[in-house]
Amino acid sequence: MKKDFQSFLKSIPIAVGVGIVVAGLIFVITSRLATTYDAATTWTVSKSSALSQQKTDYYLYDQYYITLASQQYADIIQAWFVSPGIVEQVYRAAQVELPSVKPAKVGKLIRATKRPPANLAVRFRSGSKDDADRLALASHTIFSERLAQISQGEQDTYQIIASPVYTSANQVNIGLLALTGFLGAALAVLVLWGTVLYIVREA
């Protein structure tokens, strides 16, 4: 039993050494990762100027059909974001280089999440703050034009009302990742060493 304990103590420097190596690798790898930026905004689809009951000779159902149409147009806009051709058009208009990815992944470069009833939380990620901001502005212009075209009729068209764009940097906490890697690797070595000692003693 005493020999097992002494052998276990000898594993501590090894565990520390392995932990340091793993932490060093994590530090080197993560420090080389480029900082990315997210530009976030919320789009609300609404009618350009809602009709009033006083101006019409038919019942408006408390704007029920207008609200329903807004929801449907929000679904259409969300579908546009996964279209490689439309996404490419946005990047071109923003004068931002389109990443070299497969066509199936082009539609994932911009993330749009629907928020009922007719809102979209949109996130644009890029390697610089200016590029992310330009992508947000260009997409609003292009999508507004497309929405006006497909919703145009005898009455007013629908529009996209955008909230102010909020841009933030995505920075990795290198110190925390390195510490986590060190503790995880060291603990793994100690557990493995203890398991081997137990198997040898029981054999």
Side-chain angles (χ1 to χ4, degrees):
M1 190 70 174
K2 184 177 180 181
K3 292 182 178 180
D4 290 343
F5 181 72
Q6 292 176 345
S7 178
F8 182 77
L9 290 178
K10 292 180 181 180
S11 69
I12 295 179
I14 299 176
V16 173
V18 172
I20 292 175
V21 171
V22 171
L25 290 174
I26 292 176
F27 182 85
V28 172
I29 294 173
T30 54
S31 61
R32 293 184 178 181
L33 295 177
T35 301
T36 58
Y37 294 84
D38 282 350
T41 182
T42 299
W43 290 0
T44 301
V45 181
S46 66
K47 202 169 181 60
S48 298
S49 58
L51 295 174
S52 62
Q53 187 65 66
Q54 291 77 13
K55 296 180 180 180
T56 61
D57 56 359
Y58 53 90
Y59 185 48
L60 292 177
Y61 296 95
D62 296 327
Q63 307 295 326
Y64 170 77
Y65 290 113
I66 292 178
T67 302
L68 182 61
S70 297
Q71 296 176 5
Q72 293 174 342
Y73 283 127
D75 290 334
I76 293 174
I77 293 172
Q78 186 178 24
W80 287 344
F81 277 108
V82 299
S83 171
I86 298 177
V87 173
E88 182 184 19
Q89 184 182 4
V90 170
Y91 272 78
R92 186 167 59 250
Q95 297 182 344
V96 177
E97 184 178 356
L98 185 69
S100 299
V101 295
K102 297 180 179 179
K105 293 185 177 181
V106 172
K108 298 180 181 180
L109 294 175
I110 303 174
R111 179 178 297 176
T113 306
K114 189 177 179 182
R115 298 285 188 265
N119 303 295
L120 291 170
V122 191
R123 187 209 68 185
F124 306 85
R125 176 165 293 181
S126 187
S128 72
K129 180 180 182 301
D130 291 339
D131 287 353
D133 290 339
R134 288 202 302 271
L135 286 172
L137 294 175
S139 64
H140 181 262
T141 299
I142 292 174
F143 280 50
S144 294
E145 292 174 352
R146 292 180 64 90
L147 179 60
Q149 291 174 359
I150 68 171
S151 65
Q152 189 173 9
E154 295 181 0
Q155 304 297 336
D156 298 322
T157 59
Y158 282 76
Q159 63 182 347
I160 300 174
I161 300 176
S163 67
V165 179
Y166 175 79
T167 307
S168 61
N170 301 309
Q171 295 179 333
V172 179
N173 192 330
I174 300 177
L176 180 60
L177 287 178
L179 178 60
T180 302
F182 170 80
L183 294 176
L187 182 61
V189 170
L190 292 177
V191 171
L192 179 61
W193 194 282
T195 302
V196 172
L197 289 178
Y198 176 80
I199 294 175
V200 171
R201 186 175 67 249
E202 295 296 326

Coordinates of all heavy atoms in Angstrom, one line a residue, residues 10-102:
K10 N 4.8 10.0 -7.3 CA 5.7 10.2 -8.4 C 4.9 10.6 -9.7 O 5.5 11.2 -10.6 CB 6.5 8.9 -8.7 CG 7.4 8.6 -7.6 CD 8.2 7.3 -7.9 CE 9.2 6.9 -6.8 NZ 9.9 5.6 -7.1
S11 N 3.6 10.3 -9.8 CA 2.9 10.7 -11.0 C 2.5 12.1 -11.0 O 2.1 12.7 -12.0 CB 1.6 9.8 -11.0 OG 0.7 10.1 -10.0
I12 N 2.6 12.8 -9.8 CA 2.2 14.2 -9.8 C 3.0 15.1 -10.7 O 2.5 15.9 -11.4 CB 2.2 14.7 -8.3 CG1 1.1 14.0 -7.5 CG2 1.9 16.2 -8.3 CD1 1.1 14.4 -6.0
P13 N 4.4 15.0 -10.6 CA 5.2 15.8 -11.6 C 4.8 15.5 -13.0 O 4.8 16.4 -13.9 CB 6.6 15.4 -11.2 CG 6.6 14.9 -9.8 CD 5.2 14.2 -9.7
I14 N 4.6 14.2 -13.3 CA 4.2 13.9 -14.7 C 2.9 14.5 -15.1 O 2.8 15.1 -16.2 CB 4.1 12.3 -14.9 CG1 5.5 11.7 -14.5 CG2 3.7 12.0 -16.3 CD1 5.4 10.2 -14.6
A15 N 1.9 14.5 -14.2 CA 0.6 15.1 -14.4 C 0.8 16.6 -14.7 O 0.2 17.2 -15.6 CB -0.3 14.8 -13.3
V16 N 1.6 17.2 -13.8 CA 1.8 18.7 -14.0 C 2.5 19.0 -15.3 O 2.1 20.0 -16.0 CB 2.7 19.2 -12.8 CG1 3.1 20.7 -13.0 CG2 1.9 19.1 -11.5
G17 N 3.5 18.2 -15.7 CA 4.2 18.4 -16.9 C 3.2 18.2 -18.1 O 3.2 19.1 -19.1
V18 N 2.4 17.2 -18.1 CA 1.4 17.0 -19.2 C 0.4 18.2 -19.2 O 0.1 18.7 -20.3 CB 0.6 15.7 -19.0 CG1 -0.5 15.6 -20.0 CG2 1.6 14.5 -19.2
G19 N 0.0 18.6 -18.1 CA -0.9 19.8 -18.0 C -0.3 21.0 -18.6 O -1.0 21.8 -19.3
I20 N 1.0 21.3 -18.3 CA 1.7 22.4 -18.8 C 1.8 22.4 -20.3 O 1.6 23.4 -21.0 CB 3.1 22.6 -18.2 CG1 2.9 22.9 -16.7 CG2 3.9 23.7 -18.9 CD1 4.3 23.0 -16.0
V21 N 2.1 21.2 -20.9 CA 2.2 21.0 -22.3 C 0.8 21.3 -23.0 O 0.7 22.0 -24.0 CB 2.7 19.6 -22.7 CG1 2.5 19.4 -24.2 CG2 4.1 19.4 -22.2
V22 N -0.2 20.7 -22.4 CA -1.6 20.9 -23.0 C -2.0 22.4 -22.9 O -2.5 23.0 -23.9 CB -2.6 20.0 -22.3 CG1 -4.0 20.4 -22.7 CG2 -2.3 18.6 -22.5
A23 N -1.7 23.0 -21.8 CA -2.1 24.5 -21.6 C -1.3 25.3 -22.6 O -1.8 26.3 -23.2 CB -1.8 24.9 -20.2
G24 N 0.0 24.9 -22.8 CA 0.8 25.7 -23.8 C 0.3 25.5 -25.2 O 0.2 26.5 -26.0
L25 N -0.1 24.3 -25.6 CA -0.7 24.1 -26.9 C -2.0 24.9 -27.1 O -2.2 25.6 -28.1 CB -1.0 22.6 -27.1 CG 0.2 21.7 -27.3 CD1 -0.2 20.3 -27.3 CD2 1.0 22.1 -28.5
I26 N -2.8 24.9 -26.1 CA -4.1 25.7 -26.2 C -3.8 27.2 -26.3 O -4.4 27.9 -27.1 CB -5.0 25.4 -24.9 CG1 -5.5 24.0 -24.9 CG2 -6.1 26.4 -24.8 CD1 -6.2 23.6 -23.7
F27 N -2.8 27.7 -25.5 CA -2.5 29.1 -25.6 C -2.0 29.5 -27.0 O -2.4 30.5 -27.5 CB -1.4 29.4 -24.5 CG -1.0 30.8 -24.5 CD1 -1.7 31.7 -23.8 CD2 0.1 31.3 -25.2 CE1 -1.4 33.1 -23.7 CE2 0.5 32.6 -25.2 CZ -0.3 33.5 -24.4
V28 N -1.1 28.6 -27.6 CA -0.6 28.9 -28.9 C -1.7 28.9 -29.9 O -1.7 29.8 -30.8 CB 0.6 27.9 -29.2 CG1 1.0 28.1 -30.7 CG2 1.7 28.1 -28.3
I29 N -2.5 27.9 -29.9 CA -3.5 27.8 -30.9 C -4.6 28.9 -30.8 O -4.9 29.5 -31.8 CB -4.2 26.4 -30.8 CG1 -3.3 25.3 -31.1 CG2 -5.5 26.3 -31.7 CD1 -3.8 23.9 -30.9
T30 N -5.1 29.2 -29.6 CA -6.1 30.2 -29.5 C -5.6 31.6 -29.7 O -6.3 32.5 -30.2 CB -6.7 30.1 -28.1 OG1 -5.7 30.2 -27.1 CG2 -7.5 28.8 -27.9
S31 N -4.3 31.8 -29.4 CA -3.7 33.2 -29.6 C -3.6 33.5 -31.1 O -3.5 34.7 -31.5 CB -2.4 33.3 -28.9 OG -1.4 32.4 -29.5
R32 N -3.6 32.5 -31.9 CA -3.5 32.7 -33.4 C -4.9 32.9 -34.0 O -4.9 33.2 -35.2 CB -2.7 31.6 -34.0 CG -1.3 31.5 -33.6 CD -0.5 30.4 -34.4 NE 0.9 30.4 -34.0 CZ 1.8 29.5 -34.6 NH1 1.3 28.6 -35.5 NH2 3.0 29.5 -34.2
L33 N -5.9 32.6 -33.3 CA -7.3 32.8 -33.9 C -7.6 34.2 -34.0 O -7.4 35.0 -33.1 CB -8.3 32.1 -33.0 CG -8.2 30.6 -32.8 CD1 -9.3 30.1 -31.8 CD2 -8.4 29.9 -34.1
A34 N -8.1 34.6 -35.2 CA -8.4 36.0 -35.5 C -9.7 36.4 -34.8 O -10.6 35.6 -34.6 CB -8.6 36.2 -37.0
T35 N -9.7 37.6 -34.3 CA -10.9 38.1 -33.6 C -12.0 38.4 -34.7 O -11.8 38.9 -35.7 CB -10.6 39.4 -32.9 OG1 -9.6 39.2 -31.9 CG2 -11.8 40.0 -32.2
T36 N -13.2 37.9 -34.4 CA -14.4 38.2 -35.3 C -15.3 39.2 -34.6 O -15.3 39.4 -33.4 CB -15.1 36.9 -35.6 OG1 -15.6 36.3 -34.3 CG2 -14.2 35.9 -36.3
Y37 N -16.2 39.8 -35.4 CA -17.1 40.8 -34.9 C -18.5 40.4 -35.4 O -18.8 39.9 -36.5 CB -16.8 42.2 -35.5 CG -15.5 42.7 -35.0 CD1 -14.3 42.3 -35.6 CD2 -15.4 43.5 -33.9 CE1 -13.0 42.8 -35.1 CE2 -14.2 44.0 -33.4 CZ -13.0 43.7 -34.0 OH -11.8 44.1 -33.6
D38 N -19.5 40.6 -34.5 CA -20.9 40.4 -34.7 C -21.6 41.7 -34.8 O -21.5 42.5 -33.8 CB -21.5 39.4 -33.7 CG -21.1 38.0 -33.9 OD1 -20.6 37.7 -34.9 OD2 -21.4 37.2 -33.0
A39 N -22.4 41.9 -35.8 CA -23.3 43.0 -35.9 C -24.7 42.5 -35.8 O -25.2 41.7 -36.6 CB -23.1 43.8 -37.2
A40 N -25.4 42.9 -34.7 CA -26.7 42.3 -34.5 C -27.8 43.4 -34.6 O -27.6 44.6 -34.2 CB -26.8 41.7 -33.1
T41 N -28.9 43.1 -35.2 CA -30.0 44.0 -35.3 C -31.3 43.2 -35.3 O -31.3 42.0 -35.5 CB -29.9 44.8 -36.6 OG1 -31.0 45.7 -36.7 CG2 -30.0 43.9 -37.8
T42 N -32.4 43.9 -35.1 CA -33.7 43.2 -35.2 C -34.6 43.9 -36.3 O -34.7 45.1 -36.3 CB -34.5 43.4 -33.8 OG1 -33.7 42.7 -32.8 CG2 -35.8 42.7 -33.9
W43 N -35.2 43.1 -37.1 CA -36.0 43.6 -38.2 C -37.5 43.3 -37.8 O -37.8 42.2 -37.4 CB -35.7 42.9 -39.5 CG -34.4 43.3 -40.1 CD1 -33.5 44.2 -39.6 CD2 -33.8 42.8 -41.3 NE1 -32.4 44.3 -40.4 CE2 -32.5 43.5 -41.5 CE3 -34.2 41.9 -42.3 CZ2 -31.7 43.2 -42.6 CZ3 -33.4 41.7 -43.4 CH2 -32.2 42.3 -43.5
T44 N -38.3 44.3 -38.1 CA -39.7 44.1 -37.9 C -40.4 44.4 -39.2 O -40.2 45.4 -39.8 CB -40.3 45.1 -36.8 OG1 -39.6 44.9 -35.6 CG2 -41.8 44.9 -36.6
V45 N -41.2 43.4 -39.7 CA -42.0 43.6 -40.9 C -43.3 44.2 -40.6 O -44.1 43.7 -39.8 CB -42.1 42.2 -41.6 CG1 -42.9 42.3 -42.9 CG2 -40.8 41.5 -41.8
S46 N -43.6 45.3 -41.3 CA -44.9 45.9 -41.1 C -45.4 46.6 -42.3 O -44.6 46.8 -43.3 CB -44.8 47.0 -39.9 OG -44.0 48.0 -40.3
K47 N -46.7 46.9 -42.4 CA -47.2 47.6 -43.5 C -46.8 49.1 -43.5 O -46.6 49.7 -42.5 CB -48.8 47.5 -43.5 CG -49.4 47.7 -44.8 CD -50.9 47.4 -44.7 CE -51.6 47.5 -46.1 NZ -51.0 46.7 -47.1
S48 N -46.5 49.6 -44.7 CA -45.9 50.9 -44.8 C -46.8 52.0 -44.1 O -46.4 52.8 -43.4 CB -45.7 51.3 -46.3 OG -44.8 50.5 -46.9
S49 N -48.1 51.9 -44.3 CA -49.1 52.8 -43.6 C -50.4 52.0 -43.5 O -51.1 51.8 -44.5 CB -49.3 54.1 -44.4 OG -49.8 53.8 -45.7
A50 N -50.6 51.5 -42.3 CA -51.8 50.7 -42.1 C -53.1 51.5 -42.4 O -53.2 52.7 -42.1 CB -51.8 50.2 -40.6
L51 N -54.0 50.7 -43.0 CA -55.3 51.3 -43.3 C -56.1 51.6 -42.0 O -56.0 50.9 -41.0 CB -56.1 50.4 -44.2 CG -55.6 50.2 -45.6 CD1 -56.4 49.1 -46.2 CD2 -55.6 51.4 -46.4
S52 N -57.0 52.6 -41.9 CA -57.8 52.8 -40.8 C -59.2 52.5 -41.2 O -59.6 52.5 -42.4 CB -57.8 54.3 -40.4 OG -58.2 55.1 -41.5
Q53 N -60.0 52.1 -40.2 CA -61.4 51.6 -40.5 C -62.2 52.8 -41.1 O -63.1 52.5 -41.9 CB -62.0 51.2 -39.2 CG -63.4 50.5 -39.4 CD -63.3 49.2 -40.2 OE1 -62.8 48.2 -39.7 NE2 -63.9 49.2 -41.4
Q54 N -61.9 54.0 -40.7 CA -62.7 55.1 -41.2 C -62.5 55.4 -42.7 O -63.3 56.0 -43.4 CB -62.3 56.4 -40.5 CG -62.7 56.5 -39.0 CD -61.8 55.6 -38.1 OE1 -60.7 55.2 -38.5 NE2 -62.3 55.3 -36.9
K55 N -61.4 54.9 -43.3 CA -61.1 55.1 -44.7 C -61.5 54.0 -45.6 O -61.2 54.0 -46.8 CB -59.6 55.4 -44.8 CG -59.1 56.7 -44.2 CD -57.6 56.8 -44.4 CE -57.1 58.1 -43.7 NZ -55.6 58.3 -43.9
T56 N -62.1 52.9 -45.0 CA -62.4 51.8 -45.8 C -63.9 51.5 -45.6 O -64.5 51.8 -44.6 CB -61.6 50.5 -45.4 OG1 -61.9 50.3 -44.0 CG2 -60.1 50.8 -45.6
D57 N -64.5 50.8 -46.6 CA -65.9 50.5 -46.6 C -66.1 49.0 -46.3 O -67.1 48.4 -46.5 CB -66.6 50.8 -47.9 CG -65.9 50.2 -49.1 OD1 -64.9 49.5 -48.9 OD2 -66.4 50.3 -50.2
Y58 N -65.0 48.4 -45.7 CA -65.1 47.0 -45.3 C -64.5 46.8 -43.9 O -63.6 47.6 -43.5 CB -64.5 46.0 -46.3 CG -63.1 46.4 -46.7 CD1 -62.0 45.9 -46.0 CD2 -62.8 47.2 -47.8 CE1 -60.7 46.2 -46.3 CE2 -61.5 47.6 -48.1 CZ -60.4 47.0 -47.3 OH -59.2 47.4 -47.7
Y59 N -64.8 45.8 -43.3 CA -64.3 45.5 -41.9 C -62.8 45.0 -42.0 O -62.5 44.1 -42.7 CB -65.2 44.5 -41.2 CG -64.8 44.3 -39.7 CD1 -64.5 45.4 -38.9 CD2 -64.7 43.0 -39.2 CE1 -64.2 45.2 -37.6 CE2 -64.3 42.8 -37.9 CZ -64.1 43.9 -37.1 OH -63.8 43.8 -35.7
L60 N -62.0 45.6 -41.2 CA -60.5 45.3 -41.2 C -60.2 44.1 -40.2 O -59.0 43.7 -40.2 CB -59.7 46.5 -40.9 CG -59.7 47.6 -41.9 CD1 -58.9 48.8 -41.4 CD2 -59.2 47.1 -43.2
Y61 N -61.1 43.6 -39.5 CA -60.9 42.6 -38.5 C -59.7 42.9 -37.6 O -58.9 42.1 -37.3 CB -60.5 41.3 -39.3 CG -61.7 40.8 -40.1 CD1 -61.8 41.1 -41.5 CD2 -62.7 40.0 -39.6 CE1 -62.8 40.6 -42.2 CE2 -63.8 39.5 -40.3 CZ -63.8 39.8 -41.7 OH -64.9 39.4 -42.4
D62 N -59.7 44.1 -37.1 CA -58.7 44.6 -36.1 C -57.3 44.3 -36.6 O -56.4 43.8 -35.9 CB -58.9 43.9 -34.8 CG -60.3 44.3 -34.2 OD1 -60.7 45.4 -34.4 OD2 -60.9 43.4 -33.5
Q63 N -57.1 44.6 -37.9 CA -55.7 44.4 -38.5 C -55.3 42.9 -38.5 O -54.1 42.7 -38.6 CB -54.7 45.2 -37.7 CG -55.1 46.7 -37.6 CD -55.1 47.4 -38.9 OE1 -54.4 47.1 -39.8 NE2 -56.0 48.4 -39.0
Y64 N -56.2 42.0 -38.4 CA -55.8 40.6 -38.3 C -55.1 40.2 -39.5 O -54.0 39.5 -39.5 CB -57.1 39.7 -38.1 CG -56.8 38.2 -38.3 CD1 -56.1 37.5 -37.2 CD2 -57.1 37.6 -39.4 CE1 -55.9 36.2 -37.4 CE2 -56.9 36.2 -39.6 CZ -56.2 35.5 -38.6 OH -56.0 34.2 -38.7
Y65 N -55.6 40.5 -40.7 CA -55.0 40.0 -42.0 C -53.7 40.7 -42.2 O -52.8 40.2 -42.8 CB -56.0 40.3 -43.1 CG -57.2 39.3 -43.1 CD1 -58.4 39.8 -42.8 CD2 -57.0 38.0 -43.2 CE1 -59.5 39.0 -42.8 CE2 -58.1 37.1 -43.2 CZ -59.3 37.6 -42.9 OH -60.4 36.7 -42.9
I66 N -53.5 42.0 -41.8 CA -52.3 42.7 -41.9 C -51.2 42.0 -41.1 O -50.1 41.8 -41.5 CB -52.4 44.2 -41.5 CG1 -53.3 44.9 -42.6 CG2 -51.1 44.8 -41.5 CD1 -53.6 46.4 -42.2
T67 N -51.6 41.6 -39.9 CA -50.6 41.0 -39.0 C -50.2 39.6 -39.5 O -49.1 39.2 -39.5 CB -51.3 40.8 -37.6 OG1 -51.6 42.1 -37.0 CG2 -50.3 40.1 -36.6
L68 N -51.2 38.9 -40.1 CA -51.0 37.6 -40.7 C -50.0 37.7 -41.8 O -49.1 36.9 -42.0 CB -52.3 36.9 -41.1 CG -52.2 35.5 -41.7 CD1 -51.6 34.5 -40.6 CD2 -53.5 35.0 -42.1
A69 N -50.2 38.7 -42.7 CA -49.4 38.9 -43.8 C -48.0 39.3 -43.4 O -47.0 38.8 -44.0 CB -49.9 40.0 -44.7
S70 N -47.8 40.0 -42.3 CA -46.5 40.4 -41.8 C -45.7 39.2 -41.4 O -44.5 39.1 -41.6 CB -46.7 41.4 -40.7 OG -47.3 42.6 -41.1
Q71 N -46.4 38.3 -40.7 CA -45.8 37.0 -40.3 C -45.3 36.2 -41.5 O -44.2 35.6 -41.5 CB -46.8 36.2 -39.4 CG -47.2 36.9 -38.1 CD -48.2 36.1 -37.4 OE1 -48.6 35.0 -37.8 NE2 -48.7 36.6 -36.3
Q72 N -46.1 36.1 -42.5 CA -45.8 35.4 -43.7 C -44.6 36.0 -44.4 O -43.7 35.3 -44.9 CB -47.0 35.3 -44.6 CG -48.1 34.4 -44.1 CD -49.4 34.5 -44.9 OE1 -49.5 35.3 -45.8 NE2 -50.3 33.5 -44.7
Y73 N -44.6 37.3 -44.5 CA -43.4 38.0 -45.1 C -42.2 37.8 -44.3 O -41.1 37.7 -44.9 CB -43.7 39.5 -45.3 CG -44.6 39.7 -46.5 CD1 -45.8 40.5 -46.4 CD2 -44.3 39.2 -47.8 CE1 -46.6 40.7 -47.4 CE2 -45.2 39.5 -48.9 CZ -46.3 40.2 -48.7 OH -47.2 40.5 -49.7
A74 N -42.3 37.7 -43.0 CA -41.1 37.5 -42.1 C -40.6 36.1 -42.4 O -39.3 35.9 -42.4 CB -41.5 37.6 -40.7
D75 N -41.4 35.1 -42.7 CA -41.0 33.8 -43.0 C -40.2 33.8 -44.4 O -39.2 33.1 -44.5 CB -42.2 32.8 -43.1 CG -42.8 32.5 -41.7 OD1 -42.1 32.6 -40.7 OD2 -44.0 32.2 -41.7
I76 N -40.8 34.6 -45.3 CA -40.1 34.7 -46.6 C -38.7 35.3 -46.5 O -37.8 34.8 -47.1 CB -41.0 35.5 -47.6 CG1 -42.3 34.7 -47.9 CG2 -40.2 35.8 -48.9 CD1 -43.3 35.5 -48.7
I77 N -38.6 36.3 -45.7 CA -37.3 37.0 -45.5 C -36.3 36.1 -44.9 O -35.2 36.0 -45.3 CB -37.5 38.3 -44.7 CG1 -38.3 39.3 -45.4 CG2 -36.2 38.9 -44.3 CD1 -38.7 40.5 -44.6
Q78 N -36.8 35.3 -43.9 CA -35.9 34.4 -43.3 C -35.4 33.3 -44.3 O -34.2 32.9 -44.2 CB -36.6 33.7 -42.1 CG -35.7 32.8 -41.3 CD -36.5 32.1 -40.1 OE1 -37.7 32.0 -40.1 NE2 -35.8 31.8 -39.1
A79 N -36.2 32.9 -45.2 CA -35.8 32.0 -46.2 C -34.8 32.6 -47.2 O -33.9 31.9 -47.7 CB -37.0 31.5 -47.0
W80 N -34.9 33.9 -47.4 CA -33.9 34.5 -48.3 C -32.5 34.4 -47.8 O -31.6 34.4 -48.5 CB -34.3 36.0 -48.5 CG -35.5 36.2 -49.3 CD1 -36.1 35.3 -50.2 CD2 -36.3 37.4 -49.4 NE1 -37.2 35.9 -50.8 CE2 -37.3 37.2 -50.4 CE3 -36.2 38.7 -48.8 CZ2 -38.3 38.1 -50.7 CZ3 -37.2 39.6 -49.2 CH2 -38.2 39.4 -50.1
F81 N -32.4 34.4 -46.5 CA -31.1 34.4 -45.9 C -30.3 33.1 -46.1 O -29.1 33.1 -46.0 CB -31.1 34.6 -44.3 CG -31.2 36.1 -44.0 CD1 -32.4 36.6 -43.5 CD2 -30.1 36.9 -44.1 CE1 -32.5 38.0 -43.1 CE2 -30.2 38.3 -43.7 CZ -31.4 38.8 -43.2
V82 N -31.0 32.0 -46.5 CA -30.3 30.8 -46.8 C -30.1 30.6 -48.3 O -29.7 29.5 -48.7 CB -31.1 29.6 -46.2 CG1 -31.3 29.7 -44.7 CG2 -32.5 29.5 -46.8
S83 N -30.5 31.6 -49.0 CA -30.2 31.5 -50.5 C -28.8 32.0 -50.8 O -28.5 33.2 -50.6 CB -31.3 32.4 -51.2 OG -30.9 32.5 -52.6
P84 N -28.0 31.2 -51.4 CA -26.6 31.6 -51.7 C -26.5 32.8 -52.6 O -25.7 33.7 -52.4 CB -26.0 30.3 -52.4 CG -26.8 29.2 -51.8 CD -28.2 29.7 -51.7
G85 N -27.4 32.9 -53.6 CA -27.4 34.0 -54.5 C -27.7 35.3 -53.9 O -27.1 36.3 -54.2
I86 N -28.7 35.3 -53.0 CA -29.0 36.5 -52.3 C -28.0 36.9 -51.3 O -27.6 38.1 -51.2 CB -30.4 36.4 -51.6 CG1 -31.5 36.1 -52.6 CG2 -30.7 37.6 -50.8 CD1 -32.9 35.9 -51.9
V87 N -27.4 36.0 -50.6 CA -26.3 36.3 -49.6 C -25.1 36.8 -50.4 O -24.5 37.8 -49.9 CB -25.9 35.0 -48.8 CG1 -24.7 35.3 -48.0 CG2 -27.1 34.5 -48.0
E88 N -24.8 36.2 -51.5 CA -23.7 36.8 -52.4 C -24.0 38.2 -52.8 O -23.1 39.0 -52.8 CB -23.5 35.9 -53.6 CG -22.3 36.3 -54.4 CD -22.2 35.5 -55.7 OE1 -23.2 34.8 -56.1 OE2 -21.1 35.5 -56.3
Q89 N -25.2 38.5 -53.1 CA -25.6 39.9 -53.5 C -25.4 40.8 -52.4 O -24.9 42.0 -52.5 CB -27.0 39.9 -53.9 CG -27.5 41.2 -54.4 CD -29.0 41.2 -54.8 OE1 -29.7 40.2 -54.7 NE2 -29.5 42.3 -55.4
V90 N -25.7 40.4 -51.1 CA -25.5 41.2 -50.0 C -24.0 41.5 -49.8 O -23.6 42.7 -49.5 CB -26.1 40.6 -48.7 CG1 -25.6 41.3 -47.4 CG2 -27.6 40.5 -48.8
Y91 N -23.2 40.5 -49.9 CA -21.7 40.7 -49.7 C -21.2 41.6 -50.8 O -20.3 42.4 -50.5 CB -21.0 39.3 -49.7 CG -20.9 38.7 -48.4 CD1 -22.0 38.0 -47.8 CD2 -19.7 38.7 -47.6 CE1 -21.9 37.4 -46.6 CE2 -19.7 38.1 -46.4 CZ -20.8 37.4 -45.9 OH -20.7 36.8 -44.6
R92 N -21.6 41.4 -52.0 CA -21.2 42.3 -53.1 C -21.5 43.7 -52.9 O -20.7 44.7 -53.1 CB -21.7 41.7 -54.4 CG -21.1 42.5 -55.6 CD -21.4 41.7 -56.9 NE -22.9 41.6 -57.1 CZ -23.5 40.4 -57.0 NH1 -22.8 39.3 -56.7 NH2 -24.8 40.3 -57.2
A93 N -22.8 44.0 -52.4 CA -23.2 45.3 -52.2 C -22.5 46.0 -51.0 O -22.3 47.2 -51.0 CB -24.7 45.3 -51.9
A94 N -22.1 45.2 -50.0 CA -21.4 45.7 -48.9 C -19.9 45.8 -49.1 O -19.2 46.3 -48.3 CB -21.6 44.8 -47.7
Q95 N -19.5 45.3 -50.3 CA -18.0 45.4 -50.7 C -17.2 44.6 -49.6 O -16.1 45.0 -49.2 CB -17.5 46.8 -50.8 CG -18.2 47.6 -51.9 CD -17.7 49.0 -52.1 OE1 -17.0 49.5 -51.2 NE2 -18.0 49.6 -53.2
V96 N -17.7 43.4 -49.3 CA -17.1 42.5 -48.4 C -16.8 41.2 -49.1 O -17.7 40.7 -49.8 CB -17.9 42.2 -47.1 CG1 -17.2 41.2 -46.2 CG2 -18.2 43.5 -46.3
E97 N -15.6 40.7 -49.0 CA -15.2 39.5 -49.7 C -16.0 38.3 -49.2 O -16.1 38.1 -47.9 CB -13.8 39.2 -49.6 CG -13.3 38.0 -50.4 CD -11.8 37.8 -50.3 OE1 -11.1 38.6 -49.7 OE2 -11.3 36.8 -50.8
L98 N -16.7 37.5 -50.1 CA -17.4 36.4 -49.7 C -16.5 35.2 -49.3 O -15.6 34.9 -50.1 CB -18.3 35.9 -50.8 CG -19.3 34.8 -50.5 CD1 -20.4 35.2 -49.5 CD2 -20.0 34.3 -51.8
P99 N -16.6 34.7 -48.1 CA -15.7 33.5 -47.7 C -15.8 32.4 -48.7 O -16.8 32.1 -49.3 CB -16.3 33.1 -46.3 CG -17.0 34.3 -45.8 CD -17.5 35.0 -47.0
S100 N -14.7 31.7 -48.9 CA -14.6 30.6 -49.8 C -15.2 29.3 -49.1 O -14.4 28.6 -48.5 CB -13.2 30.4 -50.3 OG -12.7 31.5 -50.9
V101 N -16.5 29.2 -49.2 CA -17.1 28.0 -48.7 C -18.0 27.4 -49.7 O -18.3 27.9 -50.8 CB -18.0 28.4 -47.4 CG1 -17.1 28.9 -46.3 CG2 -19.0 29.4 -47.8
K102 N -18.5 26.2 -49.4 CA -19.4 25.5 -50.3 C -20.7 26.2 -50.4 O -21.1 26.9 -49.5 CB -19.6 24.0 -49.9 CG -18.3 23.2 -49.9 CD -18.7 21.8 -49.4 CE -17.4 20.9 -49.4 NZ -17.7 19.5 -48.9

